[in-house]
Amino acid sequence: MQKLGLGIMIDQPSIKQEEGTNNPVDAKRIKKESIQRCIQSLVHACRCKDEDCHLPSCAKMKKVVQHTRTCKKKKNGGCPICKQLIALCCYHSKHCDDDQCPV
């Protein structure tokens, strides 16, 4: 079974340990880059019609989007996957200038 999730690094102490830095500026930069990668994957997955897309992030993001469409826990706010995707979509919508954006 494949673990769903967006792969956004939220916990800054674990970012510092993983990247070997104690600089909070680096931790913020790493978090922002992680969010940007997720947004790029989300936009690609929403536009991609290829069922056999070669990008691993595309297939994973398509599964996350499909999960969010059918998840019953999100109504009560109890699903962390749905919470992350909704937050990512909100963040993206504030910065996106594309009137035809599928996200």
Side-chain angles (χ1 to χ4, degrees):
M1 180 192 288
Q2 183 181 10
K3 180 182 174 191
L4 291 178
L6 302 178
I8 298 174
M9 298 177 182
I10 293 174
D11 186 15
Q12 288 187 0
S14 67
I15 292 172
K16 291 177 190 175
Q17 291 170 357
E18 185 174 312
E19 297 296 325
T21 180
N22 289 322
N23 186 343
V25 174
D26 286 343
K28 285 181 182 180
R29 179 187 52 80
I30 291 166
K31 180 179 176 181
K32 186 173 183 175
E33 289 171 358
S34 176
I35 291 170
Q36 289 301 326
R37 279 192 305 274
C38 286
I39 288 173
Q40 288 172 347
S41 294
L42 177 63
V43 171
H44 171 85
C46 289
R47 288 189 173 138
C48 182
K49 304 299 179 205
D50 183 3
E51 291 183 23
D52 297 321
C53 184
H54 68 282
L55 294 175
S57 62
C58 179
K60 183 176 180 180
M61 191 59 74
K62 284 179 181 178
K63 287 180 182 179
V64 170
V65 170
Q66 183 59 36
H67 163 84
T68 302
R69 287 183 179 146
T70 59
C71 182
K72 303 208 184 329
K73 287 186 194 178
K74 76 176 172 196
K75 293 177 184 169
N76 300 331
C79 181
I81 295 168
C82 294
K83 281 183 184 180
Q84 274 194 337
L85 183 64
I86 291 166
L88 193 66
C89 290
C90 289
Y91 180 85
H92 172 69
S93 69
K94 289 179 183 177
H95 298 92
C96 183
D97 296 330
D98 183 358
D99 291 337
Q100 303 297 317
C101 183
V103 176

XYZ file of all heavy atoms in Angstrom:
798
model
N 0.845 -1.172 0.000
C 0.000 0.000 0.000
C 0.892 1.237 0.000
O 1.804 1.341 0.792
C -0.908 0.012 1.225
C -1.791 1.240 1.236
S -2.687 1.587 2.745
C -3.926 0.392 2.839
N 0.580 2.175 -0.900
C 1.370 3.393 -1.000
C 0.829 4.429 -0.029
O -0.368 4.632 0.072
C 1.315 3.943 -2.424
C 2.158 5.166 -2.606
C 2.076 5.703 -4.030
O 1.252 5.269 -4.812
N 2.932 6.629 -4.344
N 1.722 5.087 0.690
C 1.330 6.113 1.628
C 1.000 7.392 0.865
O 1.799 7.870 0.063
C 2.463 6.381 2.620
C 2.128 7.432 3.637
C 3.303 7.686 4.545
C 2.999 8.852 5.464
N 4.173 9.310 6.176
N -0.193 7.921 1.106
C -0.571 9.181 0.497
C -0.098 10.319 1.376
O 0.035 10.198 2.569
C -2.091 9.274 0.340
C -2.734 8.348 -0.669
C -4.233 8.544 -0.662
C -2.182 8.572 -2.052
N 0.095 11.438 0.769
C 0.519 12.638 1.476
C 1.207 13.543 0.488
O 1.568 13.124 -0.612
N 1.392 14.766 0.874
C 1.958 15.732 -0.051
C 3.464 15.879 0.073
O 4.089 16.479 -0.769
C 1.277 17.087 0.141
C -0.230 17.058 -0.061
C -0.817 18.434 0.192
C -0.588 16.577 -1.442
N 4.031 15.375 1.136
C 5.478 15.457 1.293
C 5.957 16.843 1.672
O 7.107 17.186 1.467
N 5.067 17.653 2.219
C 5.466 18.985 2.654
C 6.119 18.857 4.011
O 5.560 18.255 4.921
C 4.253 19.933 2.739
C 3.627 20.091 1.369
C 4.666 21.292 3.296
C 2.342 20.880 1.381
N 7.298 19.425 4.139
C 8.015 19.387 5.405
C 7.483 20.512 6.279
O 7.755 21.678 6.028
C 9.509 19.563 5.172
C 10.123 18.484 4.346
S 11.846 18.881 4.089
C 12.350 17.537 3.080
N 6.729 20.155 7.303
C 6.088 21.163 8.130
C 6.851 21.393 9.429
O 6.990 22.508 9.883
C 4.633 20.763 8.440
C 3.837 20.800 7.133
C 4.012 21.685 9.463
C 2.437 20.308 7.256
N 7.366 20.376 10.009
C 8.013 20.466 11.307
C 9.438 20.979 11.137
O 10.327 20.265 10.720
C 8.013 19.085 11.965
C 8.536 19.118 13.381
O 8.632 20.213 13.956
O 8.836 18.031 13.899
N 9.684 22.233 11.460
C 10.986 22.826 11.211
C 12.135 22.139 11.952
O 13.206 22.009 11.385
C 10.958 24.319 11.516
C 10.184 25.079 10.472
C 10.271 26.572 10.659
O 10.915 27.051 11.585
N 9.631 27.299 9.786
N 11.957 21.681 13.205
C 13.077 20.976 13.830
C 13.527 19.755 13.034
O 14.711 19.493 12.909
C 12.535 20.589 15.205
C 11.507 21.626 15.500
C 10.888 21.941 14.153
N 12.587 19.013 12.448
C 12.994 17.844 11.669
C 13.672 18.268 10.380
O 14.539 17.582 9.867
C 11.792 16.938 11.367
O 10.888 17.588 10.506
N 13.287 19.429 9.825
C 13.965 19.944 8.641
C 15.407 20.237 8.986
O 16.321 19.871 8.261
C 13.277 21.232 8.116
C 11.900 20.916 7.571
C 14.127 21.901 7.056
C 11.085 22.158 7.225
N 15.633 20.884 10.124
C 16.990 21.231 10.534
C 17.843 19.978 10.696
O 18.977 19.937 10.255
C 16.961 22.014 11.845
C 16.375 23.400 11.704
C 16.310 24.074 13.049
C 15.525 25.354 12.975
N 15.360 25.956 14.285
N 17.268 18.952 11.326
C 18.022 17.725 11.531
C 18.312 17.049 10.198
O 19.415 16.599 9.948
C 17.240 16.771 12.431
C 17.122 17.252 13.846
C 16.154 16.417 14.659
O 15.519 15.497 14.165
N 16.032 16.751 15.935
N 17.316 17.002 9.322
C 17.466 16.318 8.053
C 18.462 17.028 7.155
O 19.277 16.415 6.497
C 16.103 16.242 7.353
C 16.141 15.448 6.075
C 14.757 15.274 5.482
O 13.849 14.903 6.229
O 14.615 15.505 4.279
N 18.409 18.354 7.120
C 19.281 19.114 6.243
C 20.599 19.500 6.918
O 21.463 20.051 6.281
C 18.551 20.385 5.764
C 17.318 20.098 4.949
C 17.623 19.387 3.643
O 18.677 19.678 3.044
O 16.829 18.540 3.229
N 20.702 19.253 8.216
C 21.943 19.544 8.920
C 22.171 21.027 9.127
O 23.303 21.494 9.093
N 21.124 21.795 9.329
C 21.274 23.224 9.531
C 20.560 23.658 10.796
O 19.550 23.083 11.170
C 20.718 24.028 8.328
O 20.905 25.413 8.601
C 19.256 23.767 8.077
N 21.122 24.650 11.458
C 20.477 25.231 12.624
C 19.971 26.628 12.318
O 19.515 27.329 13.200
C 21.457 25.281 13.809
C 21.741 23.895 14.346
O 20.852 23.060 14.400
N 22.971 23.658 14.731
N 20.063 27.041 11.073
C 19.668 28.370 10.654
C 18.176 28.387 10.333
O 17.731 27.703 9.420
C 20.494 28.765 9.423
C 20.265 30.186 8.996
O 19.287 30.818 9.379
N 21.164 30.691 8.191
N 17.375 29.197 11.065
C 15.939 29.244 10.795
C 15.614 29.782 9.399
O 14.590 29.431 8.823
C 15.371 30.166 11.867
C 16.501 30.646 12.683
C 17.756 30.009 12.202
N 16.480 30.613 8.852
C 16.265 31.123 7.496
C 16.339 29.978 6.490
O 15.522 29.879 5.571
C 17.294 32.232 7.147
C 17.170 32.656 5.701
C 17.126 33.416 8.085
N 17.312 29.081 6.673
C 17.424 27.910 5.799
C 16.202 27.006 5.940
O 15.705 26.477 4.952
C 18.690 27.107 6.120
C 19.954 27.793 5.626
O 19.850 28.699 4.764
O 21.042 27.425 6.096
N 15.729 26.842 7.153
C 14.551 25.993 7.384
C 13.328 26.576 6.675
O 12.552 25.841 6.060
C 14.285 25.851 8.881
N 13.163 27.890 6.724
C 12.038 28.532 6.039
C 12.172 28.390 4.525
O 11.191 28.151 3.832
C 11.952 30.007 6.419
C 11.412 30.242 7.801
C 11.318 31.721 8.111
C 10.821 31.942 9.520
N 10.715 33.368 9.840
N 13.382 28.529 4.037
C 13.634 28.393 2.605
C 13.325 26.977 2.143
O 12.661 26.766 1.116
C 15.088 28.745 2.268
C 15.433 28.594 0.792
C 16.919 28.788 0.520
N 17.792 27.987 1.352
C 18.070 26.707 1.153
N 17.528 26.052 0.151
N 18.878 26.052 1.963
N 13.741 25.995 2.916
C 13.504 24.592 2.581
C 12.005 24.300 2.586
O 11.484 23.633 1.695
C 14.262 23.668 3.550
C 15.766 23.801 3.293
C 13.810 22.217 3.399
C 16.631 23.204 4.392
N 11.291 24.829 3.574
C 9.843 24.629 3.646
C 9.158 25.270 2.436
O 8.282 24.661 1.812
C 9.292 25.221 4.935
C 7.800 25.044 5.089
C 7.319 25.633 6.398
C 5.815 25.552 6.508
N 5.333 26.147 7.752
N 9.569 26.486 2.080
C 8.974 27.174 0.940
C 9.237 26.414 -0.357
O 8.348 26.271 -1.198
C 9.528 28.603 0.834
C 8.856 29.421 -0.220
C 9.309 30.860 -0.172
C 8.549 31.662 -1.213
N 8.834 33.080 -1.160
N 10.458 25.902 -0.515
C 10.784 25.108 -1.703
C 9.948 23.836 -1.761
O 9.497 23.424 -2.838
C 12.268 24.763 -1.728
C 13.156 25.962 -2.020
C 14.639 25.666 -1.836
O 14.998 24.520 -1.447
O 15.444 26.582 -2.070
N 9.719 23.222 -0.625
C 8.899 22.013 -0.553
C 7.465 22.312 -0.979
O 6.853 21.557 -1.744
C 8.938 21.465 0.874
O 8.098 20.358 1.015
N 6.923 23.429 -0.517
C 5.571 23.836 -0.892
C 5.506 24.121 -2.388
O 4.555 23.706 -3.063
C 5.117 25.058 -0.060
C 4.914 24.638 1.397
C 3.844 25.676 -0.639
C 4.711 25.784 2.359
N 6.512 24.799 -2.921
C 6.540 25.113 -4.354
C 6.578 23.837 -5.199
O 5.917 23.752 -6.233
C 7.720 26.023 -4.697
C 7.571 27.433 -4.183
C 6.336 28.135 -4.707
O 5.902 27.935 -5.832
N 5.730 28.954 -3.864
N 7.357 22.851 -4.766
C 7.396 21.571 -5.492
C 6.025 20.900 -5.479
O 5.582 20.349 -6.489
C 8.453 20.637 -4.887
C 9.859 20.921 -5.345
C 10.808 19.807 -4.956
N 10.806 19.507 -3.526
C 11.546 20.122 -2.620
N 12.367 21.084 -2.983
N 11.490 19.773 -1.360
N 5.352 20.958 -4.346
C 4.018 20.364 -4.255
C 3.032 21.093 -5.154
O 2.191 20.462 -5.803
C 3.522 20.380 -2.812
S 4.336 19.173 -1.765
N 3.123 22.408 -5.206
C 2.229 23.180 -6.078
C 2.499 22.840 -7.541
O 1.558 22.649 -8.320
C 2.370 24.694 -5.820
C 1.744 25.034 -4.471
C 1.728 25.511 -6.941
C 1.957 26.458 -4.012
N 3.767 22.735 -7.918
C 4.100 22.355 -9.292
C 3.535 20.977 -9.624
O 2.989 20.766 -10.710
C 5.614 22.373 -9.507
C 6.199 23.757 -9.542
C 7.721 23.753 -9.570
O 8.364 22.733 -9.329
N 8.295 24.901 -9.866
N 3.645 20.052 -8.690
C 3.093 18.708 -8.899
C 1.575 18.750 -9.017
O 0.989 18.061 -9.853
C 3.469 17.784 -7.737
O 4.847 17.576 -7.701
N 0.946 19.560 -8.188
C -0.511 19.683 -8.209
C -0.988 20.255 -9.543
O -1.907 19.718 -10.158
C -0.984 20.560 -7.050
C -2.477 20.853 -6.981
C -3.278 19.569 -6.778
C -2.763 21.840 -5.854
N -0.363 21.332 -9.994
C -0.755 21.950 -11.264
C -0.551 20.967 -12.411
O -1.423 20.790 -13.265
C 0.029 23.263 -11.498
C -0.201 23.793 -12.905
C -0.364 24.312 -10.463
N 0.598 20.291 -12.405
C 0.857 19.312 -13.463
C -0.198 18.205 -13.449
O -0.763 17.864 -14.481
C 2.255 18.696 -13.335
C 2.460 17.555 -14.274
N 2.864 17.727 -15.570
C 2.266 16.219 -14.110
C 2.916 16.549 -16.174
N 2.569 15.608 -15.298
N -0.462 17.650 -12.272
C -1.405 16.536 -12.158
C -2.817 16.937 -12.580
O -3.536 16.141 -13.187
C -1.419 16.000 -10.723
N -3.200 18.166 -12.278
C -4.541 18.621 -12.665
C -4.650 18.846 -14.168
O -5.742 18.729 -14.727
C -4.895 19.903 -11.914
S -5.201 19.643 -10.158
N -3.548 19.144 -14.815
C -3.550 19.358 -16.270
C -3.273 18.079 -17.048
O -3.672 17.962 -18.204
C -2.500 20.399 -16.645
C -2.886 21.783 -16.247
C -1.943 22.816 -16.808
N -2.449 24.143 -16.520
C -1.724 25.146 -16.120
N -0.423 25.013 -15.989
N -2.272 26.317 -15.870
N -2.595 17.147 -16.440
C -2.128 15.948 -17.130
C -3.278 14.973 -17.401
O -4.002 14.577 -16.489
C -1.059 15.260 -16.295
S -0.365 13.789 -17.072
N -3.417 14.592 -18.641
C -4.455 13.623 -19.030
C -3.858 12.255 -19.355
O -4.569 11.326 -19.682
C -5.224 14.131 -20.262
C -5.847 15.500 -20.073
C -6.854 15.505 -18.947
C -7.443 16.898 -18.776
N -7.940 17.150 -17.449
N -2.532 12.153 -19.237
C -1.821 10.916 -19.554
C -1.895 9.960 -18.356
O -1.331 10.247 -17.298
C -0.364 11.235 -19.896
C 0.439 10.022 -20.302
O -0.127 8.908 -20.384
O 1.656 10.177 -20.550
N -2.581 8.843 -18.540
C -2.691 7.863 -17.456
C -1.353 7.195 -17.150
O -1.155 6.668 -16.064
C -3.737 6.810 -17.798
C -5.142 7.364 -17.796
C -6.178 6.293 -18.078
O -5.889 5.100 -17.840
O -7.261 6.652 -18.540
N -0.446 7.213 -18.119
C 0.870 6.606 -17.937
C 1.966 7.660 -17.845
O 3.082 7.459 -18.340
C 1.171 5.654 -19.099
C 0.196 4.501 -19.164
O -0.177 3.991 -18.089
O -0.207 4.129 -20.285
N 1.659 8.792 -17.236
C 2.636 9.874 -17.098
C 3.890 9.346 -16.402
O 3.809 8.601 -15.425
C 2.034 11.034 -16.311
S 3.134 12.456 -16.181
N 5.045 9.746 -16.914
C 6.322 9.236 -16.400
C 6.768 9.900 -15.099
O 7.698 9.434 -14.452
C 7.410 9.396 -17.469
C 7.752 10.839 -17.740
N 6.946 11.650 -18.522
C 8.785 11.590 -17.320
C 7.492 12.850 -18.573
N 8.600 12.853 -17.849
N 6.107 10.986 -14.700
C 6.503 11.669 -13.466
C 5.888 10.981 -12.245
O 4.660 10.894 -12.138
C 6.048 13.130 -13.490
C 6.686 14.032 -14.523
C 6.031 15.416 -14.490
C 8.181 14.160 -14.272
N 6.714 10.506 -11.318
C 6.177 9.842 -10.118
C 5.290 10.774 -9.295
O 4.299 10.347 -8.713
C 7.414 9.432 -9.323
C 8.564 9.558 -10.243
C 8.178 10.493 -11.342
N 5.639 12.056 -9.260
C 4.844 12.997 -8.474
C 3.459 13.192 -9.067
O 2.506 13.509 -8.351
C 5.567 14.344 -8.366
O 5.731 14.927 -9.647
N 3.319 13.003 -10.372
C 2.019 13.148 -11.034
C 1.055 12.071 -10.557
O -0.070 12.369 -10.138
C 2.184 13.091 -12.555
S 0.630 13.235 -13.464
N 1.479 10.845 -10.604
C 0.617 9.745 -10.173
C 0.249 9.887 -8.698
O -0.911 9.679 -8.314
C 1.316 8.409 -10.417
N 1.212 10.266 -7.883
C 0.954 10.422 -6.453
C -0.048 11.553 -6.213
O -1.003 11.397 -5.439
C 2.257 10.707 -5.708
C 2.084 10.813 -4.214
C 3.415 10.991 -3.531
C 3.241 11.105 -2.033
N 4.503 11.274 -1.337
N 0.133 12.679 -6.897
C -0.765 13.814 -6.693
C -2.164 13.501 -7.214
O -3.156 13.908 -6.611
C -0.205 15.062 -7.364
C -0.930 16.330 -6.976
S -0.943 16.715 -5.202
C 0.732 17.273 -4.943
N -2.257 12.761 -8.314
C -3.571 12.356 -8.815
C -4.293 11.500 -7.774
O -5.502 11.631 -7.581
C -3.443 11.591 -10.129
C -3.151 12.490 -11.321
C -3.007 11.672 -12.582
C -2.693 12.546 -13.781
N -2.497 11.756 -15.015
N -3.557 10.639 -7.082
C -4.161 9.812 -6.030
C -4.615 10.670 -4.853
O -5.667 10.419 -4.266
C -3.169 8.748 -5.551
C -2.979 7.636 -6.546
C -1.995 6.608 -6.022
C -1.773 5.524 -7.059
N -0.805 4.513 -6.594
N -3.814 11.681 -4.504
C -4.181 12.576 -3.397
C -5.450 13.350 -3.748
O -6.367 13.464 -2.927
C -3.014 13.541 -3.055
C -3.464 14.624 -2.092
C -1.835 12.774 -2.468
N -5.512 13.869 -4.972
C -6.698 14.612 -5.409
C -7.921 13.702 -5.406
O -9.000 14.081 -4.916
C -6.467 15.248 -6.803
C -7.757 15.816 -7.362
C -5.393 16.332 -6.725
N -7.769 12.497 -5.919
C -8.888 11.545 -5.933
C -9.315 11.193 -4.508
O -10.507 11.101 -4.212
C -8.514 10.273 -6.704
C -9.639 9.275 -6.814
C -10.876 9.842 -7.505
O -10.775 10.634 -8.426
N -12.036 9.451 -7.044
N -8.351 11.012 -3.630
C -8.661 10.726 -2.226
C -9.512 11.850 -1.638
O -10.520 11.598 -0.965
C -7.374 10.585 -1.403
C -7.596 10.695 0.064
N -7.985 9.626 0.845
C -7.532 11.768 0.902
C -8.142 10.033 2.098
N -7.869 11.333 2.153
N -9.106 13.090 -1.894
C -9.804 14.241 -1.328
C -11.236 14.338 -1.858
O -12.143 14.751 -1.142
C -9.016 15.536 -1.616
O -7.704 15.383 -1.060
C -9.668 16.744 -0.983
N -11.434 13.943 -3.094
C -12.784 13.973 -3.669
C -13.731 12.989 -2.978
O -14.930 13.237 -2.886
C -12.727 13.645 -5.154
C -12.164 14.761 -5.980
C -12.194 14.409 -7.449
N -11.671 15.507 -8.234
C -10.975 15.359 -9.351
N -10.727 14.156 -9.824
N -10.542 16.412 -9.995
N -13.199 11.875 -2.511
C -14.055 10.824 -1.968
C -13.955 10.646 -0.445
O -14.708 9.861 0.118
C -13.722 9.471 -2.630
O -12.345 9.155 -2.380
C -13.965 9.529 -4.129
N -13.051 11.369 0.194
C -12.807 11.200 1.630
C -14.017 11.622 2.453
O -14.587 12.694 2.250
C -11.586 12.012 2.050
S -11.182 11.829 3.800
N -14.394 10.773 3.389
C -15.530 11.073 4.258
C -15.096 11.769 5.551
O -15.889 12.420 6.208
C -16.280 9.784 4.569
C -16.752 9.083 3.296
C -17.970 8.259 3.509
C -18.411 7.469 2.306
N -18.157 7.998 1.004
N -13.822 11.637 5.917
C -13.311 12.261 7.141
C -13.151 13.772 7.011
O -13.170 14.479 7.998
C -11.941 11.686 7.505
C -11.952 10.299 8.045
C -10.537 9.959 8.475
C -10.335 8.505 8.717
N -8.928 8.240 9.077
N -12.956 14.264 5.772
C -12.673 15.695 5.598
C -13.826 16.576 6.055
O -13.618 17.714 6.435
C -12.293 16.013 4.165
C -13.438 16.053 3.187
C -12.982 16.466 1.817
C -14.145 16.289 0.851
N -13.739 16.291 -0.504
N -15.045 16.041 6.028
C -16.203 16.832 6.455
C -16.089 17.245 7.910
O -16.547 18.303 8.301
C -17.493 16.041 6.223
C -17.789 15.826 4.755
C -19.019 14.980 4.549
C -19.209 14.728 3.068
N -20.213 13.729 2.785
N -15.475 16.416 8.715
C -15.282 16.714 10.133
C -13.917 17.347 10.394
O -13.570 17.591 11.535
C -15.409 15.436 10.960
C -16.761 14.791 10.792
O -17.752 15.469 10.546
N -16.820 13.477 10.914
N -13.139 17.567 9.348
C -11.805 18.142 9.507
C -10.798 17.159 10.066
O -9.763 17.557 10.576
N -11.087 15.861 9.946
C -10.241 14.859 10.566
C -9.220 14.202 9.661
O -8.527 13.292 10.088
N -9.122 14.641 8.415
C -8.181 13.988 7.509
C -6.990 14.903 7.224
O -7.145 15.957 6.594
C -8.875 13.618 6.194
S -7.760 12.789 5.041
N -5.792 14.507 7.643
C -4.618 15.359 7.429
C -4.243 15.508 5.952
O -3.729 16.546 5.552
C -3.509 14.666 8.219
C -3.976 13.266 8.420
C -5.467 13.299 8.406
N -4.524 14.494 5.153
C -4.219 14.578 3.714
C -5.105 15.644 3.074
O -4.620 16.505 2.334
C -4.420 13.210 3.030
C -3.427 12.196 3.575
C -4.286 13.342 1.514
C -3.724 10.766 3.186
N -6.379 15.600 3.377
C -7.316 16.586 2.828
C -6.982 17.991 3.313
O -7.031 18.952 2.541
C -8.749 16.225 3.199
S -9.325 14.696 2.427
N -6.635 18.114 4.594
C -6.265 19.423 5.136
C -5.081 20.011 4.379
O -5.074 21.197 4.046
C -5.903 19.312 6.623
C -7.067 19.237 7.555
C -6.549 19.210 8.977
C -7.644 19.048 9.980
N -7.124 19.020 11.359
N -4.066 19.191 4.128
C -2.876 19.671 3.415
C -3.215 20.069 1.990
O -2.766 21.115 1.513
C -1.776 18.616 3.401
C -0.908 18.634 4.617
C 0.358 17.808 4.404
O 0.405 16.918 3.569
N 1.368 18.112 5.172
N -4.002 19.264 1.305
C -4.332 19.584 -0.080
C -5.184 20.850 -0.156
O -4.949 21.709 -1.013
C -5.055 18.432 -0.771
C -5.354 18.693 -2.253
C -4.061 18.837 -3.050
C -6.206 17.597 -2.840
N -6.138 20.998 0.731
C -6.978 22.193 0.742
C -6.131 23.428 1.029
O -6.276 24.462 0.363
C -8.139 22.036 1.737
C -9.118 20.977 1.211
C -8.853 23.362 1.980
C -10.127 20.486 2.242
N -5.231 23.336 1.986
C -4.344 24.462 2.296
C -3.450 24.789 1.101
O -3.237 25.970 0.775
C -3.492 24.148 3.525
N -2.949 23.769 0.429
C -2.099 23.971 -0.742
C -2.894 24.648 -1.867
O -2.389 25.574 -2.509
C -1.546 22.629 -1.217
C -0.412 22.673 -2.219
C 0.834 23.279 -1.604
C -0.112 21.274 -2.725
N -4.114 24.219 -2.086
C -4.967 24.832 -3.114
C -5.272 26.290 -2.772
O -5.261 27.148 -3.667
C -6.271 24.049 -3.271
S -6.057 22.434 -4.039
N -5.527 26.572 -1.526
C -5.791 27.957 -1.109
C -4.556 28.828 -1.323
O -4.659 29.945 -1.845
C -6.218 28.004 0.356
S -7.855 27.331 0.660
N -3.403 28.322 -0.938
C -2.152 29.058 -1.134
C -1.928 29.312 -2.625
O -1.607 30.424 -3.043
C -0.980 28.267 -0.546
C 0.353 28.949 -0.697
C 0.777 29.890 0.236
C 1.190 28.651 -1.757
C 2.000 30.521 0.103
C 2.420 29.271 -1.901
C 2.819 30.204 -0.975
O 4.031 30.829 -1.103
N -2.136 28.293 -3.430
C -1.948 28.413 -4.873
C -2.916 29.440 -5.463
O -2.531 30.272 -6.286
C -2.142 27.066 -5.558
C -2.141 27.148 -7.049
N -1.012 27.444 -7.773
C -3.144 27.004 -7.943
C -1.324 27.466 -9.062
N -2.608 27.203 -9.186
N -4.156 29.404 -5.031
C -5.161 30.306 -5.609
C -4.848 31.778 -5.319
O -5.186 32.645 -6.116
C -6.555 29.955 -5.103
O -6.692 30.265 -3.745
N -4.187 32.038 -4.217
C -3.823 33.421 -3.886
C -2.710 33.960 -4.784
O -2.573 35.166 -4.933
C -3.383 33.519 -2.423
C -4.519 33.348 -1.451
C -4.015 33.434 -0.029
C -5.149 33.183 0.950
N -4.692 33.196 2.334
N -1.913 33.064 -5.354
C -0.748 33.482 -6.133
C -0.858 33.193 -7.626
O -0.005 33.609 -8.398
C 0.510 32.810 -5.577
C 0.786 33.197 -4.155
N 0.301 32.468 -3.090
C 1.462 34.240 -3.621
C 0.686 33.049 -1.967
N 1.374 34.115 -2.253
N -1.890 32.495 -8.040
C -2.022 32.081 -9.433
C -2.722 33.156 -10.263
O -3.764 33.673 -9.862
C -2.810 30.766 -9.528
S -2.930 30.140 -11.222
N -2.137 33.472 -11.423
C -2.706 34.475 -12.323
C -3.418 33.859 -13.516
O -3.959 34.578 -14.345
C -1.591 35.397 -12.840
C -0.936 36.197 -11.733
O -1.614 36.505 -10.740
O 0.269 36.508 -11.847
N -3.397 32.546 -13.616
C -3.969 31.850 -14.767
C -5.478 31.706 -14.618
O -5.958 30.995 -13.728
C -3.312 30.472 -14.907
C -3.774 29.689 -16.118
O -4.643 30.186 -16.866
O -3.269 28.571 -16.311
N -6.224 32.388 -15.471
C -7.690 32.325 -15.405
C -8.225 30.932 -15.733
O -9.341 30.584 -15.366
C -8.319 33.331 -16.371
C -8.080 34.766 -15.933
O -7.841 34.985 -14.733
O -8.113 35.660 -16.806
N -7.440 30.133 -16.465
C -7.855 28.798 -16.859
C -7.207 27.705 -16.014
O -7.198 26.541 -16.400
C -7.492 28.565 -18.334
C -8.092 29.584 -19.290
C -9.611 29.543 -19.287
O -10.204 28.481 -19.282
N -10.230 30.708 -19.274
N -6.679 28.075 -14.866
C -5.971 27.114 -14.020
C -6.923 26.004 -13.551
O -7.993 26.295 -12.993
C -5.363 27.821 -12.810
S -4.399 26.714 -11.766
N -6.547 24.756 -13.733
C -7.420 23.649 -13.351
C -7.430 23.342 -11.848
O -8.230 22.544 -11.397
C -6.841 22.465 -14.131
C -5.402 22.787 -14.273
C -5.336 24.296 -14.402
N -6.536 23.962 -11.118
C -6.475 23.715 -9.676
C -7.623 24.453 -9.017
O -8.353 23.958 -8.239
C -5.139 24.179 -9.062
C -5.140 23.994 -7.550
C -3.984 23.443 -9.684
